[in-house]
Amino acid sequence: MIRATRPESQVLSLFLRPMATDSNKFQAIISHCKEYGFIFPSSEIYDGLQAVYDYGQMGSELKKNIKDYWWNSMTQFHDNIVGIDAAIFMHPTTWKASGHVDNFNDPMIDNKDSKKRYRVDHLIEGFAEDVRNAGDAAKADAVLASMDALLAKDDFAGLKQLIDDNKMKCAVSGTCNWTDVRQFNLMFSTEFGSVSGEGEDNKVYLRPETAQGIFVNFLNVQKTGRMKIPFGIAQIGKAFRNEIVARQFIFRMREFEQMEMQFFIRPGTQKEWYEYWKAERLKWHLSLGLPADKYRFHDHIKLAHYADAACDIEFEFPIGFKEVEGIHSRTDFDLKNHQEFSKKKQQYFDTEINQNYIPYVIETSIGLDRMFLLIMSNAYTEEDLSTPEKPDSRVVLKFPAKLAPIKMAVFPLTKKDGLPEIARGIMDDCKKSFRCFYEEKDAIGKRYRRMDAIGTPFCITVDHQTKEDNTVTVRHRDSMLQERIPIDAIKGMVLGAIA
Ligand code: GAP
């Protein structure tokens, strides 16, 4: 039974601040993440480190919940997918075989006045966005189409010409004084052993993708797990890229996490499996209750060095439609190259057709931090709760309940009359099943708003009536409606919502 609550605006006028417009929503999200313990700039006391971030007490919970949701949906719900956890450091030849030493480059351009370096595609995309915002969508589309065509041909002189012809400016110096377009490798390297500077032999890379840890373990897993094709290997882990244009908060980081799955298939079946995984992965996103109209596929024109087909799943962030996940048909590129470089056969014997072959691979690769940003962007809501008598507003994070850092808060109405003891009892009973939070400070309305700001879906209030009839008030985050339910029903209600 749900009953309408008294408007919370009558109880408090907390968290009053001007509503964020679309253009400053991204900034508001960044501030909110810091203010409520989701994300801090790395080593902030030393002024931070560009494009590196730390997850705080709320952020690490949300991140873990996203991880678990992905991991379970891959490994637990698919009989033929298993997970591994490979090391970040790998034998350096791995990256020669994978093509990353030679091909993991981005065309860059430097502004001679500001000395600022730009990724060419980002510079051009930024320019096109400005042109579009100024009302010339046709020109923006034409510039982007030219860029795609030039990138596909690695035509660096053509890209430079495109930048010059359109008088694209450096955001720092405001000038058009550009160097030529050059390639720049994105891998970080370090030395193995205690002495640095021992030359190339000692050089190891911080992996730029988790996928290679899966490829080099393909036969280990296949044999020890007696896996039959088609089967998948999933992994979650850190990846590192020396991104040049590393802005936009956690959208583009130098240290980030990927959730990748390589699906090994019979050669010739890649088209159908590619379509299958495109559909499956979109379904996964939508299963979180995320809005379908904020998603779209973007087919790659310029394919990565390993792919014969590829697309991105894009989401409409406050900064526009951007990639959150890639689906790649990687052919037998990686296993074939590892076979060649390691001189160890990477073949599978298919008993159904009595043939040995190197499997083809469909990859699904989603950035965990980018998924975090997606969830945060979609959840962040500013609501105007003003009444004629009083201005009021709230910031609420409308997370899917199963991802919320804290599922339930328990509040005794007062600090006396045995109410804290009952509230603690509820908390102790529930905390084994899901993450709870206890608080007895401040007025109930204030406590509700603090929970809204971190996205807690349920608040339970223990009051004097609880002592008489063993019921409590449940306050629902999104609707702000309150209902009275028996203590015995609390755990089931929350478990039902997060299942
Ligand atoms: N193994 C294939 C691969 O790494 P990718 O398209 O380069 O493909 C996959 O990366 C996903 O990893 C992207 O869709 C994005 O979500 C995430 N990602 C890539 N670079 C990132 C960065 N610098 N910061 C945060 N996430 C990143």
Side-chain angles (χ1 to χ4, degrees):
M1 177 250 316
I2 295 195
R3 69 175 159 82
T5 171
R6 68 202 148 151
E8 285 174 19
S9 54
Q10 289 174 8
V11 202
L12 35 77
S13 52
L14 275 171
F15 305 100
L16 269 180
R17 58 175 151 182
M19 297 275 177
T21 60
D22 271 359
S23 60
N24 62 23
K25 185 175 172 193
F26 196 58
Q27 207 46 53
I29 290 170
I30 297 171
S31 307
H32 192 87
C33 280
K34 170 132 191 266
E35 197 178 334
Y36 287 92
F38 284 91
I39 297 175
F40 309 121
S42 159
S43 33
E44 195 187 6
I45 56 168
Y46 298 104
D47 296 333
L49 186 64
Q50 207 196 15
V52 186
Y53 289 90
D54 297 339
Y55 286 83
Q57 67 280 13
M58 289 300 140
S60 50
E61 290 287 341
L62 174 58
K63 193 175 177 198
K64 184 178 174 303
N65 292 342
I66 298 172
K67 241 191 244 194
D68 289 348
Y69 189 64
W70 183 89
W71 184 262
N72 292 342
S73 66
M74 279 295 174
T75 60
Q76 201 173 320
F77 301 162
H78 290 96
D79 298 346
N80 58 349
I81 300 181
V82 291
I84 64 164
D85 184 9
I88 287 172
F89 288 131
M90 300 183 70
H91 193 284
T93 310
T94 308
W95 305 110
K96 291 202 180 95
S98 69
H100 282 83
V101 171
D102 294 326
N103 295 313
F104 196 51
N105 302 309
D106 273 330
M108 301 287 177
I109 193 163
D110 293 5
N111 183 271
K112 289 182 193 165
D113 298 320
S114 66
K115 311 281 182 245
K116 192 168 163 50
R117 181 167 289 165
Y118 290 82
R119 244 176 80 172
V120 164
D121 56 334
H122 292 169
L123 177 70
I124 299 175
E125 277 168 5
F127 171 79
E129 205 172 307
D130 290 345
V131 170
R132 193 182 304 283
N133 291 340
D136 196 345
K139 180 172 176 187
D141 289 342
V143 167
L144 290 177
S146 304
M147 177 188 78
D148 285 342
L150 294 164
L151 281 172
K153 290 187 285 181
D154 280 337
D155 183 349
F156 298 153
L159 286 163
K160 172 78 187 332
Q161 199 62 50
L162 184 69
I163 291 167
D164 287 342
D165 288 351
N166 285 283
K167 300 196 173 41
M168 295 184 200
K169 287 192 181 126
C170 166
V172 177
S173 67
T175 68
C176 308
N177 194 9
W178 299 107
T179 61
D180 286 339
V181 172
R182 286 169 301 187
Q183 292 280 53
F184 186 92
N185 194 288
L186 299 184
M187 281 197 293
F188 283 104
S189 63
T190 185
E191 289 92 21
F192 236 41
S194 54
V195 187
S196 65
E198 287 181 9
E200 285 296 303
D201 288 352
N202 241 16
K203 187 165 170 180
V204 287
Y205 295 100
L206 275 73
R207 65 182 178 199
E209 61 171 11
T210 58
Q212 297 306 323
I214 294 179
F215 286 122
V216 299
N217 279 298
F218 158 68
L219 277 183
N220 282 338
V221 173
Q222 189 271 317
K223 290 199 167 121
T224 56
R226 293 180 298 123
M227 308 298 289
K228 280 204 174 344
I229 273 178
F231 74 91
I233 304 179
Q235 179 172 215
I236 301 177
K238 291 268 187 181
F240 304 84
R241 294 183 189 177
N242 197 1
E243 299 283 4
I244 295 306
V245 184
R247 46 189 160 78
Q248 296 173 328
F249 194 37
I250 57 166
F251 184 81
R252 198 174 305 285
M253 302 160 87
R254 294 205 163 106
E255 174 181 340
F256 58 100
E257 251 176 290
Q258 289 184 314
M259 307 191 285
E260 299 201 297
M261 193 277 301
Q262 313 296 322
F263 198 68
F264 299 91
I265 55 173
R266 198 179 282 168
T269 62
Q270 65 267 33
K271 277 203 171 57
E272 66 205 71
W273 282 115
Y274 176 65
E275 293 305 328
Y276 171 85
W277 278 108
K278 269 176 79 171
E280 273 294 293
R281 291 305 303 149
L282 186 59
K283 241 194 272 169
W284 180 85
H285 285 263
L286 300 183
S287 72
L288 282 165
L290 297 163
D293 63 347
K294 288 201 161 200
Y295 278 95
R296 72 181 185 194
F297 283 109
H298 169 77
D299 291 323
H300 287 201
I301 299 165
K302 179 176 164 54
L303 292 169
H305 57 275
Y306 49 72
D308 73 354
C311 69
D312 299 332
I313 296 179
E314 292 188 342
F315 183 80
E316 192 174 13
F317 290 91
I319 46 174
F321 269 101
K322 300 271 180 202
E323 169 188 353
V324 63
E325 171 157 11
I327 320 284
H328 310 127
S329 173
R330 289 184 82 127
T331 67
D332 58 356
F333 176 90
D334 302 87
L335 289 180
K336 202 161 78 185
N337 279 3
H338 285 309
Q339 174 167 292
E340 192 184 317
F341 278 74
S342 68
K343 310 272 181 281
K344 311 242 164 47
K345 281 218 177 317
Q346 298 298 309
Q347 290 189 341
Y348 170 82
F349 182 67
D350 192 329
T351 49
E352 274 180 34
I353 53 172
N354 258 345
Q355 261 181 38
N356 256 317
Y357 55 78
I358 297 178
Y360 270 43
V361 170
I362 304 297
E363 168 183 72
T364 72
S365 173
I366 176 168
L368 173 55
D369 312 85
R370 229 171 254 190
M371 189 62 197
F372 184 109
L373 184 59
L374 184 159
I375 293 291
M376 185 60 82
S377 307
N378 193 63
Y380 182 89
T381 313
E382 294 180 2
E383 286 179 351
D384 185 353
L385 304 174
S386 300
T387 58
E389 298 80 43
K390 205 171 193 178
D392 192 14
S393 67
R394 71 165 181 163
V395 172
V396 52
L397 297 181
K398 296 185 174 178
F399 293 135
K402 50 170 75 86
L403 298 186
I406 291 171
K407 314 296 188 214
M408 182 183 91
V410 192
F411 305 145
L413 185 64
T414 62
K415 288 186 203 167
K416 48 187 199 293
D417 302 334
L419 302 187
E421 287 73 13
I422 300 174
R424 283 273 178 211
I426 294 171
M427 169 99 182
D428 289 345
D429 181 39
C430 290
K431 72 184 184 193
K432 296 172 212 119
S433 306
F434 44 82
R435 188 73 204 266
C436 305
F437 181 84
Y438 176 87
E439 189 166 47
E440 48 186 39
K441 198 171 162 291
D442 292 325
I444 287 291
K446 259 192 187 181
R447 287 183 249 174
Y448 285 159
R449 293 300 169 89
R450 278 201 289 268
M451 288 300 113
D452 288 345
I454 57 169
T456 305
F458 301 102
C459 292
I460 304 293
T461 302
V462 174
D463 56 18
H464 292 93
Q465 191 184 328
T466 309
K467 287 172 55 174
E468 288 160 24
D469 63 6
N470 270 330
T471 65
V472 292
T473 301
V474 183
R475 186 264 196 182
H476 297 265
R477 178 195 65 197
D478 297 353
S479 62
M480 297 194 292
L481 290 177
Q482 298 180 12
E483 61 180 321
R484 198 98 204 158
I485 63 166
I487 288 179
D488 289 352
I490 296 174
K491 201 198 278 182
M493 175 195 66
V494 178
L495 285 175
I498 63 177

